[in-house]
Amino acid sequence: MSVPALLVVSVPVLLAWWLFATTGTLDGYPGDSGLCPASNIPPQWPGSIPA
């Protein structure tokens, strides 16, 4: 695999990972079921994903 192709794939994945880890689900978002605890991290969230 070439370096440019690796960057094209990995950079968006890492940016999305960071966005979800730092922002989470915003209050009032229509997809927010209200079932998450006060930390806004669902109980089934994998421990390997930073939150």
Side-chain angles (χ1 to χ4, degrees):
M1 186 179 246
S2 67
V3 173
L6 184 63
L7 288 174
V8 166
V9 172
S10 63
V11 169
V13 169
L14 292 174
L15 287 174
W17 188 310
W18 175 82
L19 178 67
F20 282 106
T22 58
T23 304
T25 303
L26 301 175
D27 288 338
Y29 180 72
D32 188 2
S33 65
L35 298 176
C36 290
S39 66
N40 206 21
I41 301 171
Q44 74 276 13
W45 195 258
S48 60
I49 299 177

